[in-house]
Each structure stands twice: as structure tokens, then as C-alpha cells.
Amino acid sequence: AETVRENELAARSIAVLPFLNLDTIEANRSLADSFAQALAARMSGLGVARVVAKTDGIAATPGAGTLADLRKIERQAGVRTVLTGTLRRVGDKCRISLRLSDAQTGDTLFARAIDTNPSAPASEAACLLAKELFAAISGSQPRTVAVDPAAVDPVANEFLRAGDELLGRGTIADIDRSIDCYLRAIDVQPKSARARAAFVIAVVNRAALSAERPGLIGKAEQYGREAVALNKDIESTHRALESLLFLQGKFVQAREEALREMEAGGFLYGSVGLSLIDKMCGRPDLALRWSAICSHWSSRPADCESIAGDCWAALGDDTKAEAHYRRVSDLYPETPEGWIGLCRVKLLQGNFSVAKTICSENVARYPDYRFAREMAGEVEFFSRNFTEADHIYGPLENDDPAGGGSFYGSVSYQSAIGRAMQEMGDAASEDLLKRCLRVEEAALRMAPGHPTILYRVAAIESSLGQIESSLAHLKSAFAAGWLDYRSLGLDPRFDRLREDIRYRGISEVMATRVASLRRFESPITNDYKTNRRKKE
């Protein structure tokens, strides 16, 4: 009888990991302990089961729950299933999301998000979900995660996998091919939320690199809404909406979709999205916490190192930024992100000769990557070599007249050319800058409060001598999250403001803000470094 009971306990066993607090980006061990105790008490009235809290001896990074984590817990605690969860405040409620996984395979056996009373979230969640969790570990509950039709259709799935492979290459030509693959998958399986979500993500990636193919953004908005309507419980639909909203400058809504993606189990891309949103909105310190979670979940080494490098550069810690960029360059020499990051750090330091050397050694090796040439153009522009800058930006502007604004420093091609023309005495510069300003003002009406658009408007207004308006927009850009005072100090478009005491005041406030954020270094990033060294 004792042996039978032990076998039943082993078969119906759950280890509860620390919950990830999405508001503080920290592990909540006490909630996991409370939930495990309350769940054990509830399950004791349902049958034989064992519930334990496993809050030590696992990855220090919040959001642990990878397959490697699950198997480690299986060995340590002798359990068959592992329960992971998140929590956050939503209005006057505490939202708890739970995911029960098979410790050996990582398959999801049960997933649910509920809103509970903030004063006793653990006990209420345990009370509401005990029966369903008991049924899940007993094998009498069907899986609650729906299977997307494109995943089981061999033809549609083939198009999806081909699209994913092409999208990962990152060039405009390959992204265009991936978009066509996703459209073919939708044709084969019109009810596929997964295919629609993939299409939206590919369109957003393309828009970030170059002018959109006609009609794609409108179709992406339609397919994004349809994807959520078809299946709001899978992570990719929320990821698609988050990326589209981010592109449109709707950061509050984008953040909500990224959080929902995390609650649906999408820790990898959800943390990437949140790191980009927080960095854009002036919180690179929080973005570092999300990037640490991304690094824990990614199976690809150094997958989030570029983001971390950008965050440290934004915080003014160039030594740490360079370490991340070098790691990217060492591991992925076929892509330019690593050397571009290193080049930008040297540029921000005012070390123009080294920045130019890095560009001259690398640009020609990456003809398919537009931002390699953008980096070269920015180096010449910021070092005030206007003739050479014009030679680099001219072909870029011919290919994409509205491009450049999303790259480091937010230097649109046309505004750089217009400013260079001013220095070279070309009378047509003013008309070009005015046209460029009208484009940016239209973009700002579509995304009011967007920090980089506000900065670009301020830069062009300064070039045109519209001092008061430029200062107002620069101040608004800072309020919205723009912190890159080092680019501001180098940007020739702001030359007319250099001696204005109000300009210097805005720049000093940015620098003070960065210094205050830099004093806080997340313990998560330290834990991540320790774990990475152990892994290596």
C-alpha cells in the first residue's frame, strides 16, 4: 500500500517555481510558497497528490521555466510536472497566469490566467484552479492549448518554416520572400492565427529596415486583429500586435500586448519586446532586466547581447557596452550588429578616427545590410565631413526617401543631406529641409509623443533656424524618453542651438537623468553574468 501511494504521489507531483512579478521584473518566491501550500491543502481533499515549492537551486533570473530548468527541477525534486507563473496588477486586481508543464518534455498540460484579490492572490488562485490542476496531473483533463491548423497541415507548415528561416536572415530581399511564404500559408489554412501573426511580424521587420511595400501595413493591421480573434491564447498573436503597435509609436498599448505575451508563455520574444519598449521610453535600466530574461530563455548564444549593449551605451557605461558588442561580433561575424555597436560607442566618445577605421574595415563586407552604410554615413556626418556624408546618404535616399530615422541617432537621410547642403552653400537645402519637416510632422500626428520623431522634428527645425519650436520639441522628446545626449552633442543639425542656454539646460538634464539611472544596476544582470560564465 505504501509503495502504491508513493507511485501515485510521484505520478501526481507538482513543483511550483518562483512567480515572475511583471511589474517589478523580480522573482516572487513568497507567492510561490503560499500558492504551493494552499494548492496542497486543496488537493488533499481531491486525492493523492504532492505539491512542493521549489524556490532555491534554480536560475536566479526571474521567469525560469525553460526545458533545461524543468529537467533540473525533475532531478532535484523528483516531480513529474512543474508549475510556473507570473503576476501583475491590473486595475484593482492581481492577475496571475499559470502554466503546468511536463518536466521531461516541456509540453504544456494546463494554462490559465485569472484575476484575483490582491490581498490573498495565492489562496484564491489555488481555490479556483485546484480541481483543474488535479485533473491535469491525473491525465483526465484534455490539454487546454489549441493547436493551430497551419501547424498540422503539412503544406501550410512547410511555408511557415520556410518563412521563419528567411525572416531570420534579416535582409530586405529575404524578408520579402518570407512575407510571400506566410501569405501562401494563409491561403492554404485561412483560419491560421499563427500564419497571420507571422505575416504581421515580417511586415513590421521590413518597415523597420525600409519603406514598406504598398498596402502591407494596412493588411498587417487587418491580419493582426484577425489573429487575436482566431486565437488570443497563443503568444505569437500578442507578439504580432505588440510589434505593430511599437512601430506605430503606441507604446502603452504595445507594452500591454507584450505583457499578455509573457502571460501566454512567450518569455523569449515578450522580454525582447519589453526591453525595446522600455529602452525607447527612457528606461534602459529596466530594459536590461528584460534582456537578462531573454538571454535565459534563448537557445541561441548572445541572442540579446546587442540589446544589452545598446542599454549600457544609453546609460553611458561604454566598457560594458563594448563587451556585449564584441561578443556579438565574435559569435556572429556574418552580421554587422557587433561592429556597428562598437563603432557607435567610439563615435559617441568623439573618437572619429577609430570610428572611421571600423567602418572602412567592415562596410564593404555587408552589402545586403543597409544599416552598415547608415553607420558609415553617420560617422561622416557627426565628424562634419559633409561632402563624404552626402555621398553616402545620397544613394540611400534614392532607394528609400523616407528612411534613416529609426537608426541610431535618428538621422533621416533627407535631413542629413539637407544639412550637408547648407554647409556646402547649396540654396536648395532649405526647400529640402522644409519638405523633410512636413513628412516628420505628419508622422508625429500619427504617433504623438514618439520620442524619436519629436527629436527628428526638433533637429530639422534647428537646421531651419526655428529655435523656439525646436527647443520645445527637444524638451518634449526628453519627456517622452529620449536620453541620448551624446548624439545630441554631436548632431550637426543642432548647431544653431549650441550657445543657447536653454539647449544646454536640456542636455544637462538628460545627462543627469542618465547618471541617476546608471547608479542602479539590476542584480538580475549580475546573476545572469554569473550563470553565463558557469554555462560557458
CSV table of all heavy atoms in Angstrom, one decimal, residues 441-497:
chain,number,residue,atom,x,y,z
A,441,GLU,N,6.4,66.0,-39.4
A,441,GLU,CA,5.2,66.5,-38.7
A,441,GLU,C,4.0,65.6,-38.9
A,441,GLU,O,3.2,65.4,-38.0
A,441,GLU,CB,4.9,67.9,-39.1
A,441,GLU,CG,5.9,68.9,-38.6
A,441,GLU,CD,5.7,70.3,-39.2
A,441,GLU,OE1,5.2,70.4,-40.3
A,441,GLU,OE2,6.2,71.3,-38.6
A,442,ALA,N,3.9,65.1,-40.2
A,442,ALA,CA,2.8,64.1,-40.4
A,442,ALA,C,3.0,62.8,-39.6
A,442,ALA,O,2.0,62.3,-39.1
A,442,ALA,CB,2.7,63.8,-41.9
A,443,ALA,N,4.2,62.4,-39.5
A,443,ALA,CA,4.5,61.2,-38.7
A,443,ALA,C,4.1,61.4,-37.2
A,443,ALA,O,3.6,60.5,-36.5
A,443,ALA,CB,5.9,60.8,-38.9
A,444,LEU,N,4.4,62.6,-36.8
A,444,LEU,CA,4.2,63.0,-35.4
A,444,LEU,C,2.7,63.0,-35.1
A,444,LEU,O,2.2,62.6,-34.0
A,444,LEU,CB,4.8,64.3,-35.0
A,444,LEU,CG,4.8,64.7,-33.5
A,444,LEU,CD1,5.6,63.7,-32.7
A,444,LEU,CD2,5.4,66.1,-33.3
A,445,ARG,N,1.9,63.5,-36.1
A,445,ARG,CA,0.4,63.5,-35.9
A,445,ARG,C,-0.1,62.0,-35.8
A,445,ARG,O,-1.1,61.8,-35.0
A,445,ARG,CB,-0.3,64.2,-37.1
A,445,ARG,CG,-0.1,65.7,-37.0
A,445,ARG,CD,-1.0,66.4,-38.0
A,445,ARG,NE,-0.6,66.1,-39.4
A,445,ARG,CZ,0.2,66.8,-40.1
A,445,ARG,NH1,0.8,67.9,-39.5
A,445,ARG,NH2,0.5,66.5,-41.3
A,446,MET,N,0.5,61.1,-36.5
A,446,MET,CA,0.1,59.7,-36.4
A,446,MET,C,0.6,59.1,-35.1
A,446,MET,O,-0.1,58.1,-34.6
A,446,MET,CB,0.7,58.9,-37.6
A,446,MET,CG,0.2,59.4,-38.9
A,446,MET,SD,-1.6,59.0,-39.1
A,446,MET,CE,-1.6,57.2,-39.2
A,447,ALA,N,1.7,59.5,-34.5
A,447,ALA,CA,2.2,58.9,-33.3
A,447,ALA,C,2.7,60.1,-32.4
A,447,ALA,O,3.9,60.3,-32.1
A,447,ALA,CB,3.4,58.0,-33.6
A,448,PRO,N,1.7,60.8,-31.8
A,448,PRO,CA,2.1,61.9,-30.9
A,448,PRO,C,2.8,61.4,-29.7
A,448,PRO,O,2.4,60.3,-29.1
A,448,PRO,CB,0.8,62.6,-30.6
A,448,PRO,CG,-0.3,61.5,-30.9
A,448,PRO,CD,0.3,60.7,-32.0
A,449,GLY,N,3.8,62.0,-29.2
A,449,GLY,CA,4.6,61.6,-28.0
A,449,GLY,C,5.6,60.6,-28.3
A,449,GLY,O,6.2,60.0,-27.4
A,450,HIS,N,5.9,60.3,-29.6
A,450,HIS,CA,7.0,59.4,-30.0
A,450,HIS,C,8.3,60.1,-29.8
A,450,HIS,O,8.6,61.1,-30.5
A,450,HIS,CB,6.8,58.9,-31.5
A,450,HIS,CG,7.6,57.7,-31.8
A,450,HIS,ND1,9.0,57.7,-31.8
A,450,HIS,CD2,7.2,56.5,-32.3
A,450,HIS,CE1,9.4,56.5,-32.2
A,450,HIS,NE2,8.4,55.8,-32.5
A,451,PRO,N,9.2,59.6,-29.0
A,451,PRO,CA,10.5,60.3,-28.7
A,451,PRO,C,11.4,60.6,-29.8
A,451,PRO,O,11.9,61.6,-30.0
A,451,PRO,CB,11.1,59.5,-27.6
A,451,PRO,CG,10.5,58.1,-27.7
A,451,PRO,CD,9.1,58.4,-28.2
A,452,THR,N,11.6,59.5,-30.7
A,452,THR,CA,12.5,59.7,-31.8
A,452,THR,C,11.9,60.7,-32.9
A,452,THR,O,12.7,61.4,-33.5
A,452,THR,CB,12.9,58.4,-32.5
A,452,THR,OG1,11.7,57.7,-33.0
A,452,THR,CG2,13.5,57.5,-31.4
A,453,ILE,N,10.6,60.6,-33.1
A,453,ILE,CA,10.0,61.6,-34.1
A,453,ILE,C,10.1,63.0,-33.6
A,453,ILE,O,10.4,63.9,-34.3
A,453,ILE,CB,8.6,61.2,-34.4
A,453,ILE,CG1,8.5,59.8,-35.0
A,453,ILE,CG2,7.9,62.2,-35.4
A,453,ILE,CD1,7.0,59.3,-35.2
A,454,LEU,N,9.8,63.2,-32.3
A,454,LEU,CA,10.0,64.5,-31.7
A,454,LEU,C,11.4,65.0,-31.8
A,454,LEU,O,11.6,66.2,-32.1
A,454,LEU,CB,9.6,64.4,-30.2
A,454,LEU,CG,8.1,64.3,-29.9
A,454,LEU,CD1,7.9,63.9,-28.4
A,454,LEU,CD2,7.4,65.7,-30.1
A,455,TYR,N,12.4,64.1,-31.6
A,455,TYR,CA,13.8,64.5,-31.7
A,455,TYR,C,14.1,64.9,-33.2
A,455,TYR,O,14.8,65.9,-33.4
A,455,TYR,CB,14.7,63.4,-31.3
A,455,TYR,CG,16.1,63.7,-31.4
A,455,TYR,CD1,16.8,64.3,-30.4
A,455,TYR,CD2,16.9,63.3,-32.6
A,455,TYR,CE1,18.2,64.6,-30.5
A,455,TYR,CE2,18.2,63.5,-32.7
A,455,TYR,CZ,18.9,64.2,-31.7
A,455,TYR,OH,20.2,64.5,-31.8
A,456,ARG,N,13.6,64.1,-34.2
A,456,ARG,CA,13.8,64.4,-35.6
A,456,ARG,C,13.2,65.8,-36.0
A,456,ARG,O,13.8,66.6,-36.7
A,456,ARG,CB,13.3,63.3,-36.5
A,456,ARG,CG,14.0,62.0,-36.3
A,456,ARG,CD,13.8,61.1,-37.4
A,456,ARG,NE,12.5,60.7,-37.7
A,456,ARG,CZ,11.8,59.7,-37.2
A,456,ARG,NH1,12.4,58.8,-36.4
A,456,ARG,NH2,10.6,59.4,-37.6
A,457,VAL,N,12.0,66.0,-35.5
A,457,VAL,CA,11.4,67.3,-35.7
A,457,VAL,C,12.2,68.5,-35.2
A,457,VAL,O,12.5,69.5,-35.8
A,457,VAL,CB,9.9,67.4,-35.1
A,457,VAL,CG1,9.4,68.8,-35.2
A,457,VAL,CG2,9.0,66.4,-35.9
A,458,ALA,N,12.7,68.3,-33.9
A,458,ALA,CA,13.5,69.3,-33.3
A,458,ALA,C,14.8,69.6,-34.1
A,458,ALA,O,15.2,70.7,-34.3
A,458,ALA,CB,13.8,68.9,-31.9
A,459,ALA,N,15.4,68.5,-34.6
A,459,ALA,CA,16.6,68.6,-35.3
A,459,ALA,C,16.5,69.4,-36.6
A,459,ALA,O,17.3,70.3,-37.0
A,459,ALA,CB,17.2,67.2,-35.6
A,460,ILE,N,15.4,69.1,-37.4
A,460,ILE,CA,15.2,69.8,-38.6
A,460,ILE,C,14.8,71.3,-38.4
A,460,ILE,O,15.3,72.2,-39.1
A,460,ILE,CB,14.1,69.1,-39.4
A,460,ILE,CG1,14.5,67.6,-39.7
A,460,ILE,CG2,13.8,69.8,-40.7
A,460,ILE,CD1,13.4,66.8,-40.3
A,461,GLU,N,14.0,71.5,-37.3
A,461,GLU,CA,13.6,72.9,-37.0
A,461,GLU,C,14.9,73.7,-36.6
A,461,GLU,O,15.0,74.9,-37.0
A,461,GLU,CB,12.6,72.9,-35.9
A,461,GLU,CG,11.2,72.4,-36.3
A,461,GLU,CD,10.3,72.3,-35.1
A,461,GLU,OE1,10.7,72.1,-34.0
A,461,GLU,OE2,9.0,72.4,-35.3
A,462,SER,N,15.8,73.1,-35.9
A,462,SER,CA,17.0,73.8,-35.6
A,462,SER,C,17.8,74.1,-36.8
A,462,SER,O,18.3,75.2,-37.0
A,462,SER,CB,17.9,72.9,-34.7
A,462,SER,OG,19.1,73.4,-34.5
A,463,SER,N,17.9,73.1,-37.8
A,463,SER,CA,18.6,73.4,-39.0
A,463,SER,C,18.0,74.6,-39.8
A,463,SER,O,18.7,75.3,-40.5
A,463,SER,CB,18.6,72.1,-39.9
A,463,SER,OG,19.2,71.1,-39.3
A,464,LEU,N,16.7,74.7,-39.7
A,464,LEU,CA,15.9,75.8,-40.4
A,464,LEU,C,15.9,77.1,-39.6
A,464,LEU,O,15.4,78.1,-40.1
A,464,LEU,CB,14.5,75.4,-40.7
A,464,LEU,CG,14.3,74.3,-41.7
A,464,LEU,CD1,12.9,73.7,-41.7
A,464,LEU,CD2,14.7,74.8,-43.1
A,465,GLY,N,16.5,77.1,-38.4
A,465,GLY,CA,16.5,78.3,-37.6
A,465,GLY,C,15.3,78.6,-36.8
A,465,GLY,O,15.1,79.7,-36.3
A,466,GLN,N,14.4,77.5,-36.7
A,466,GLN,CA,13.2,77.7,-35.9
A,466,GLN,C,13.4,77.4,-34.5
A,466,GLN,O,13.1,76.3,-34.0
A,466,GLN,CB,12.1,76.8,-36.5
A,466,GLN,CG,11.7,77.1,-38.0
A,466,GLN,CD,10.8,76.2,-38.6
A,466,GLN,OE1,10.1,75.4,-37.9
A,466,GLN,NE2,10.6,76.2,-39.9
A,467,ILE,N,14.1,78.3,-33.8
A,467,ILE,CA,14.7,78.0,-32.5
A,467,ILE,C,13.7,77.6,-31.4
A,467,ILE,O,13.8,76.6,-30.7
A,467,ILE,CB,15.6,79.2,-32.0
A,467,ILE,CG1,16.6,79.6,-33.1
A,467,ILE,CG2,16.2,78.9,-30.7
A,467,ILE,CD1,17.5,78.4,-33.5
A,468,GLU,N,12.7,78.5,-31.3
A,468,GLU,CA,11.7,78.2,-30.2
A,468,GLU,C,11.0,76.9,-30.3
A,468,GLU,O,10.8,76.1,-29.4
A,468,GLU,CB,10.7,79.4,-30.1
A,468,GLU,CG,11.3,80.8,-29.9
A,468,GLU,CD,12.1,80.8,-28.6
A,468,GLU,OE1,11.6,80.2,-27.6
A,468,GLU,OE2,13.2,81.4,-28.5
A,469,SER,N,10.5,76.6,-31.5
A,469,SER,CA,9.8,75.4,-31.8
A,469,SER,C,10.8,74.2,-31.6
A,469,SER,O,10.4,73.1,-31.0
A,469,SER,CB,9.3,75.4,-33.2
A,469,SER,OG,8.5,74.2,-33.4
A,470,SER,N,12.0,74.3,-32.0
A,470,SER,CA,13.0,73.2,-31.9
A,470,SER,C,13.2,72.9,-30.4
A,470,SER,O,13.3,71.8,-30.0
A,470,SER,CB,14.3,73.6,-32.6
A,470,SER,OG,15.3,72.6,-32.4
A,471,LEU,N,13.4,74.0,-29.6
A,471,LEU,CA,13.6,73.7,-28.2
A,471,LEU,C,12.4,73.1,-27.5
A,471,LEU,O,12.6,72.2,-26.7
A,471,LEU,CB,13.9,75.1,-27.5
A,471,LEU,CG,15.3,75.7,-27.8
A,471,LEU,CD1,15.4,77.1,-27.3
A,471,LEU,CD2,16.4,74.9,-27.1
A,472,ALA,N,11.2,73.5,-27.9
A,472,ALA,CA,10.0,72.9,-27.3
A,472,ALA,C,9.9,71.4,-27.7
A,472,ALA,O,9.6,70.6,-26.8
A,472,ALA,CB,8.8,73.6,-27.8
A,473,HIS,N,10.2,71.1,-29.0
A,473,HIS,CA,10.1,69.7,-29.4
A,473,HIS,C,11.3,68.8,-28.7
A,473,HIS,O,11.1,67.7,-28.4
A,473,HIS,CB,10.2,69.6,-30.9
A,473,HIS,CG,8.9,69.9,-31.5
A,473,HIS,ND1,8.7,70.9,-32.4
A,473,HIS,CD2,7.6,69.2,-31.4
A,473,HIS,CE1,7.4,70.9,-32.8
A,473,HIS,NE2,6.8,69.9,-32.2
A,474,LEU,N,12.4,69.4,-28.6
A,474,LEU,CA,13.5,68.7,-27.9
A,474,LEU,C,13.2,68.4,-26.5
A,474,LEU,O,13.5,67.3,-26.0
A,474,LEU,CB,14.8,69.5,-28.0
A,474,LEU,CG,16.1,68.9,-27.5
A,474,LEU,CD1,16.4,67.6,-28.2
A,474,LEU,CD2,17.3,69.8,-27.6
A,475,LYS,N,12.6,69.4,-25.8
A,475,LYS,CA,12.2,69.2,-24.4
A,475,LYS,C,11.1,68.1,-24.3
A,475,LYS,O,11.1,67.2,-23.4
A,475,LYS,CB,11.6,70.5,-23.8
A,475,LYS,CG,11.4,70.4,-22.4
A,475,LYS,CD,11.0,71.8,-21.8
A,475,LYS,CE,10.8,71.8,-20.3
A,475,LYS,NZ,10.4,73.1,-19.8
A,476,SER,N,10.2,68.1,-25.3
A,476,SER,CA,9.1,67.0,-25.3
A,476,SER,C,9.7,65.7,-25.6
A,476,SER,O,9.3,64.6,-25.1
A,476,SER,CB,8.1,67.4,-26.4
A,476,SER,OG,7.4,68.6,-26.1
A,477,ALA,N,10.8,65.6,-26.5
A,477,ALA,CA,11.4,64.3,-26.8
A,477,ALA,C,12.0,63.8,-25.5
A,477,ALA,O,11.9,62.5,-25.3
A,477,ALA,CB,12.5,64.5,-27.9
A,478,PHE,N,12.7,64.6,-24.7
A,478,PHE,CA,13.3,64.1,-23.5
A,478,PHE,C,12.1,63.6,-22.5
A,478,PHE,O,12.3,62.5,-21.9
A,478,PHE,CB,14.0,65.2,-22.8
A,478,PHE,CG,14.4,65.0,-21.3
A,478,PHE,CD1,15.2,63.9,-21.0
A,478,PHE,CD2,13.8,65.7,-20.3
A,478,PHE,CE1,15.5,63.6,-19.7
A,478,PHE,CE2,14.1,65.4,-19.0
A,478,PHE,CZ,15.0,64.4,-18.7
A,479,ALA,N,11.1,64.4,-22.4
A,479,ALA,CA,10.0,63.9,-21.6
A,479,ALA,C,9.4,62.6,-22.0
A,479,ALA,O,8.9,61.8,-21.2
A,479,ALA,CB,8.9,65.0,-21.5
A,480,ALA,N,9.4,62.3,-23.3
A,480,ALA,CA,8.9,61.1,-23.8
A,480,ALA,C,9.8,59.9,-23.7
A,480,ALA,O,9.4,58.8,-23.9
A,480,ALA,CB,8.5,61.3,-25.3
A,481,GLY,N,11.1,60.2,-23.4
A,481,GLY,CA,12.1,59.1,-23.2
A,481,GLY,C,13.4,59.3,-23.9
A,481,GLY,O,14.3,58.4,-23.8
A,482,TRP,N,13.6,60.3,-24.7
A,482,TRP,CA,14.9,60.5,-25.4
A,482,TRP,C,16.0,60.9,-24.4
A,482,TRP,O,15.9,61.9,-23.7
A,482,TRP,CB,14.8,61.6,-26.5
A,482,TRP,CG,16.1,61.7,-27.2
A,482,TRP,CD1,17.1,62.5,-26.9
A,482,TRP,CD2,16.5,61.1,-28.4
A,482,TRP,NE1,18.2,62.4,-27.8
A,482,TRP,CE2,17.8,61.5,-28.7
A,482,TRP,CE3,15.9,60.2,-29.3
A,482,TRP,CZ2,18.5,61.1,-29.9
A,482,TRP,CZ3,16.6,59.7,-30.4
A,482,TRP,CH2,17.8,60.2,-30.7
A,483,LEU,N,17.1,60.0,-24.3
A,483,LEU,CA,18.1,60.3,-23.4
A,483,LEU,C,19.5,60.4,-24.0
A,483,LEU,O,20.5,60.6,-23.3
A,483,LEU,CB,18.2,59.1,-22.3
A,483,LEU,CG,17.0,58.9,-21.4
A,483,LEU,CD1,17.2,57.7,-20.5
A,483,LEU,CD2,16.8,60.1,-20.6
A,484,ASP,N,19.6,60.3,-25.3
A,484,ASP,CA,20.9,60.2,-26.0
A,484,ASP,C,21.5,61.6,-26.1
A,484,ASP,O,21.6,62.1,-27.2
A,484,ASP,CB,20.7,59.5,-27.4
A,484,ASP,CG,22.0,59.2,-28.0
A,484,ASP,OD1,23.1,59.4,-27.4
A,484,ASP,OD2,22.0,58.6,-29.1
A,485,TYR,N,21.9,62.1,-25.0
A,485,TYR,CA,22.5,63.5,-25.0
A,485,TYR,C,23.9,63.5,-25.7
A,485,TYR,O,24.3,64.5,-26.2
A,485,TYR,CB,22.7,64.0,-23.6
A,485,TYR,CG,23.7,63.3,-22.8
A,485,TYR,CD1,25.0,63.7,-22.7
A,485,TYR,CD2,23.4,62.1,-22.1
A,485,TYR,CE1,26.0,63.1,-21.9
A,485,TYR,CE2,24.4,61.4,-21.3
A,485,TYR,CZ,25.6,61.9,-21.2
A,485,TYR,OH,26.6,61.3,-20.5
A,486,ARG,N,24.5,62.3,-25.8
A,486,ARG,CA,25.8,62.3,-26.5
A,486,ARG,C,25.6,62.5,-28.0
A,486,ARG,O,26.4,63.2,-28.7
A,486,ARG,CB,26.6,61.0,-26.2
A,486,ARG,CG,27.0,61.0,-24.7
A,486,ARG,CD,28.0,59.9,-24.4
A,486,ARG,NE,27.5,58.6,-24.5
A,486,ARG,CZ,28.3,57.5,-24.4
A,486,ARG,NH1,29.6,57.6,-24.2
A,486,ARG,NH2,27.7,56.3,-24.5
A,487,SER,N,24.6,61.8,-28.6
A,487,SER,CA,24.3,62.0,-30.0
A,487,SER,C,23.9,63.5,-30.2
A,487,SER,O,24.3,64.1,-31.2
A,487,SER,CB,23.2,61.1,-30.5
A,487,SER,OG,23.7,59.8,-30.7
A,488,LEU,N,23.1,64.0,-29.3
A,488,LEU,CA,22.6,65.4,-29.4
A,488,LEU,C,23.8,66.3,-29.5
A,488,LEU,O,23.8,67.3,-30.3
A,488,LEU,CB,21.8,65.7,-28.2
A,488,LEU,CG,21.3,67.1,-28.0
A,488,LEU,CD1,20.4,67.6,-29.2
A,488,LEU,CD2,20.6,67.3,-26.7
A,489,GLY,N,24.8,66.1,-28.7
A,489,GLY,CA,26.0,66.9,-28.7
A,489,GLY,C,26.8,66.9,-29.9
A,489,GLY,O,27.6,67.8,-30.2
A,490,LEU,N,26.7,65.8,-30.7
A,490,LEU,CA,27.5,65.7,-31.9
A,490,LEU,C,26.7,66.0,-33.2
A,490,LEU,O,27.3,66.3,-34.2
A,490,LEU,CB,28.0,64.2,-32.1
A,490,LEU,CG,29.0,63.7,-31.0
A,490,LEU,CD1,29.1,62.2,-31.2
A,490,LEU,CD2,30.3,64.4,-31.2
A,491,ASP,N,25.4,66.0,-33.1
A,491,ASP,CA,24.5,66.1,-34.3
A,491,ASP,C,24.6,67.5,-34.9
A,491,ASP,O,24.2,68.5,-34.2
A,491,ASP,CB,23.0,65.9,-33.8
A,491,ASP,CG,22.1,65.7,-35.0
A,491,ASP,OD1,22.4,66.2,-36.1
A,491,ASP,OD2,21.1,65.0,-34.8
A,492,PRO,N,25.1,67.7,-36.1
A,492,PRO,CA,25.2,69.0,-36.7
A,492,PRO,C,23.9,69.7,-36.9
A,492,PRO,O,23.9,70.9,-37.1
A,492,PRO,CB,25.9,68.7,-38.1
A,492,PRO,CG,26.5,67.3,-37.9
A,492,PRO,CD,25.6,66.6,-37.0
A,493,ARG,N,22.8,69.0,-36.9
A,493,ARG,CA,21.5,69.6,-37.1
A,493,ARG,C,21.2,70.6,-36.0
A,493,ARG,O,20.3,71.4,-36.1
A,493,ARG,CB,20.4,68.6,-37.3
A,493,ARG,CG,20.6,67.7,-38.6
A,493,ARG,CD,19.6,66.6,-38.6
A,493,ARG,NE,19.7,65.7,-37.5
A,493,ARG,CZ,18.9,64.7,-37.3
A,493,ARG,NH1,17.9,64.5,-38.1
A,493,ARG,NH2,19.1,63.9,-36.3
A,494,PHE,N,21.8,70.4,-34.8
A,494,PHE,CA,21.6,71.3,-33.7
A,494,PHE,C,22.6,72.4,-33.5
A,494,PHE,O,22.7,73.0,-32.4
A,494,PHE,CB,21.5,70.4,-32.4
A,494,PHE,CG,20.2,69.6,-32.3
A,494,PHE,CD1,20.1,68.3,-32.7
A,494,PHE,CD2,19.0,70.2,-31.8
A,494,PHE,CE1,19.0,67.6,-32.6
A,494,PHE,CE2,17.8,69.5,-31.7
A,494,PHE,CZ,17.8,68.2,-32.1
A,495,ASP,N,23.4,72.6,-34.5
A,495,ASP,CA,24.5,73.6,-34.4
A,495,ASP,C,24.0,75.0,-34.0
A,495,ASP,O,24.6,75.8,-33.3
A,495,ASP,CB,25.3,73.7,-35.6
A,495,ASP,CG,26.3,72.5,-35.8
A,495,ASP,OD1,26.4,71.7,-34.8
A,495,ASP,OD2,26.9,72.3,-36.8
A,496,ARG,N,22.8,75.3,-34.5
A,496,ARG,CA,22.3,76.7,-34.2
A,496,ARG,C,21.8,76.9,-32.8
A,496,ARG,O,21.6,78.0,-32.4
A,496,ARG,CB,21.1,77.0,-35.2
A,496,ARG,CG,21.5,77.1,-36.6
A,496,ARG,CD,20.4,77.7,-37.5
A,496,ARG,NE,20.8,77.8,-38.9
A,496,ARG,CZ,20.1,78.5,-39.8
A,496,ARG,NH1,18.9,79.1,-39.5
A,496,ARG,NH2,20.4,78.5,-41.1
A,497,LEU,N,21.7,75.8,-32.1
A,497,LEU,CA,21.3,75.9,-30.7
A,497,LEU,C,22.4,75.8,-29.7
A,497,LEU,O,22.2,76.0,-28.5
A,497,LEU,CB,20.3,74.8,-30.3
A,497,LEU,CG,18.9,74.7,-31.1
A,497,LEU,CD1,18.1,73.6,-30.6
A,497,LEU,CD2,18.2,76.0,-31.0
